[in-house]
Amino acid sequence: MYAFELERPTTLADAIKALGGEEAQPLSGGQTLIPTLKQRLAMPSTLVSLTGIDELKGIKNEGGTLTIGGATCHADVAKDGSYPALSDLAGHIGDPHVRNRGTIGGSLANNDPSACYPAAALASGATIVTNNREIAADNYFTGLFETALDEGEIITAVKFPIPEKAAYVKFEQPASRFALVGVFVTKGANGVRVAVTGASEGGVFRWTEAEEALSSNFAPSALEGLSVPADGMIGDLHGTPEYRAHLVGVITKRAVMKAG
Amino acid sequence: MTNVTMTINGRSVSGTVEGRTLLSTFIRETAGATGTHVGCDTAQCGACTVHVNGASVKSCNMFAMEADGADVTTIEGMANADGSLGTIQQAFQDHHGLQCGFCTPGMVMTAAALLKENPTPTEGEVREYLSGNLCRCTGYHNIVKAIMAASGQDVSSIAAE
Ligand SMILES: Cc1cc2nc3c(=O)[nH]c(=O)nc-3n(C[C@H](O)[C@H](O)[C@H](O)COP(=O)(O)OP(=O)(O)OC[C@H]3O[C@@H](n4cnc5c(N)ncnc54)[C@H](O)[C@@H]3O)c2cc1C
Ligand code: FES
Ligand code: FES
């Protein structure tokens, strides 16, 4: 690791001020950032820790909307249970130690193409709340490790409308426990939404063809004959683009079945 | 350089650290508690697992400054007051839950976190909870058996020793 200063503000205002400095970067759970720093793939001059800021932590369920502070760890979301499919997802990220440190804000800011939370945010029609605006999930994920966040902008909270039915199914890459393909489906006020992670070179995406089919019949059989093209799917030592495209169909059916 | 103070196994430890100083480094080099092992240093193997304010974390993937003021427990804090092995440690010995012993501190700390959350886990729950801890020697069966035994359950039907 290159040397850097680590600041630990206790208020959001102080964190924003510290992030205004040259080459400053937020540090949340560090579960992605610290390994990146060790590989010398990032060279911040200052890291601004968000984990000592109480106003960025906690979970509130009000009027059918779940609001989760940006620095809330996966273990806390897993325990909450007011949006069962989301708690189920959080409880299967990595391992217990990762879940005690890693946070929802860090995961959504990083937008790893194989991460779990992006699928939940997109399928739920969540709203990403930052220190200066609210961004609809549909406009937030802009590509591989790319988001709509500006330099120095931080995720302060994420708002999830709790759908009537929802489920996440992850086909795990067994060594890393990230998603080889993960599908989150919801049915609620926003209609049916299907978000796929782990599969595409462009990162998380909505499978609109499946959404249309499921809108008239929310059952696995509605997906018979539907498939996503292998073109643009990730190909690596764990699976070919064709394999991933096939998994998208299979895992979506399982997610619909699990949602009931 | 910043001064940090934390409680490690009931003892207050202070030291000067850089922003990039890892908690594992502070525990091993400043507190001198070398029972916490660093295996991969990339958040994959869990050998460095300790408890920070009661929650298990991989200490190679947390900065020492983030634990300023915290209550930290390491493998050295797991023995009984008289120095004899604690229940989980004794179960690892009784059921051959270790061979080279490199992963063992992390395994015992993870087992302690599990049994606090879930005092009588099923075998499946034990295996799931160990998903962040790698062992290159035992093949895991005897680790699972030791943890089940430490929880006071009958282990006669679990894989042979
Ligand atoms: C062994 C292991 C297994 C894992 N398995 C999974 C898995 O199965 N599924 C999965 O989804 N993830 C997995 N992860 C990743 C894990 O969920 C990370 O915790 C998460 O991706 C990053 O969150 P963090 O809080 O640790 O962020 P950090 O590592 O602290 O930060 C990540 C990035 O986000 C930025 N950032 C952090 N917080 C904010 C914020 N509030 N606003 C703006 N920018 C911010 C940082 O500057 C940095 O660039 C795994 C990680 C490990 C080590
Ligand atoms: S040494 Fe920390 S996880 Fe391997
Ligand atoms: S006993 Fe040798 S690594 Fe586990």
Side-chain angles (χ1 to χ4, degrees), chain B residues 41-106:
Chain B
D41 204 23
T42 57
Q44 303 296 320
C45 77
C48 66
T49 304
V50 303
H51 298 183
V52 175
N53 295 329
S56 64
V57 304
K58 292 173 177 169
S59 62
C60 78
N61 214 23
M62 177 171 176
F63 294 121
M65 274 177 70
E66 297 263 275
D68 192 17
D71 192 9
V72 177
T73 308
T74 70
I75 187 66
E76 287 88 348
M78 297 305 287
N80 296 323
D82 65 0
S84 61
L85 296 181
T87 310
I88 298 171
Q89 293 173 308
Q90 187 62 53
F92 270 69
Q93 188 182 73
D94 293 346
H95 296 277
H96 307 289
L98 63 151
Q99 289 180 16
C100 81
F102 196 87
C103 70
T104 315

Side-chain angles (χ1 to χ4, degrees), chain A residues 96-97, chain B residues 56 110 113-114 117 124-133:
Chain A
H97 323 310
Chain B
S56 64
T110 303
L114 166 64
E117 254 175 54
E125 286 169 342
V126 174
R127 290 185 186 276
E128 169 81 25
Y129 209 90
L130 293 178
S131 57
N133 293 74

Side-chain angles (χ1 to χ4, degrees), chain A:
Chain A
M1 261 182 282
Y2 296 107
F4 51 80
E5 296 294 323
L6 178 58
E7 297 202 18
R8 302 201 72 228
T10 54
T11 66
L12 179 58
D14 285 347
I16 301 300
K17 196 151 45 151
L19 283 167
E22 192 100 341
E23 306 287 337
Q25 189 178 349
L27 167 72
S28 197
Q31 300 304 290
T32 296
L33 185 53
I34 296 176
T36 310
L37 291 167
K38 286 180 179 176
Q39 290 178 291
R40 296 193 161 188
L41 294 174
M43 210 171 96
S45 61
T46 306
L47 283 189
V48 181
S49 166
L50 306 179
T51 56
I53 305 173
D54 286 341
E55 59 197 297
L56 293 183
K57 291 194 213 172
I59 305 172
K60 271 196 312 249
N61 180 3
E62 282 168 346
T65 299
L66 196 68
T67 305
I68 304 177
T72 308
C73 70
H74 308 329
D76 287 347
V77 177
K79 253 180 271 159
D80 180 67
S82 37
Y83 181 174
L86 189 69
S87 292
D88 176 51
L89 172 150
H92 289 92
I93 292 177
D95 57 60
H97 323 310
V98 168
R99 297 196 285 273
N100 282 333
R101 294 293 303 162
T103 66
I104 188 167
S107 179
L108 292 175
N110 197 50
N111 193 17
D112 187 300
S114 303
C116 301
Y117 269 127
L122 193 57
S124 306
T127 304
I128 318 296
V129 184
T130 77
N131 52 308
N132 43 34
R133 58 187 167 140
E134 298 203 342
I135 311 168
D138 280 320
N139 303 323
Y140 174 81
F141 302 103
T142 54
L144 209 64
F145 296 105
E146 298 281 338
T147 70
L149 291 177
D150 292 327
E151 195 85 358
E153 184 173 16
I154 66 169
I155 298 175
T156 54
V158 188
K159 293 199 266 189
F160 291 89
I162 302 176
E164 189 190 314
K165 289 181 176 183
Y168 179 62
V169 174
K170 163 162 79 163
F171 190 89
E172 266 181 12
Q173 200 282 83
S176 75
R177 289 173 299 285
F178 272 94
L180 199 59
V181 168
V183 178
F184 202 109
V185 295
T186 65
K187 181 172 185 282
N190 290 326
V192 173
R193 293 170 68 108
V194 177
V196 180
T197 188
S200 166
E201 286 179 335
V204 69
F205 69 94
R206 278 175 68 185
W207 187 15
T208 45
E209 212 186 345
E211 292 179 353
E212 279 158 29
L214 291 166
S215 297
S216 42
N217 175 19
F218 193 75
S221 59
L223 298 166
E224 256 358 294
L226 294 189
S227 61
V228 293
D231 208 30
M233 293 287 133
I234 299 170
D236 57 19
L237 82 167
H238 307 299
T240 59
E242 290 74 19
Y243 181 61
R244 279 192 169 79
H246 177 70
L247 274 181
V248 171
V250 174
I251 300 301
T252 305
K253 279 186 197 155
R254 289 188 191 168
V256 172
M257 205 157 7
K258 187 171 169 186

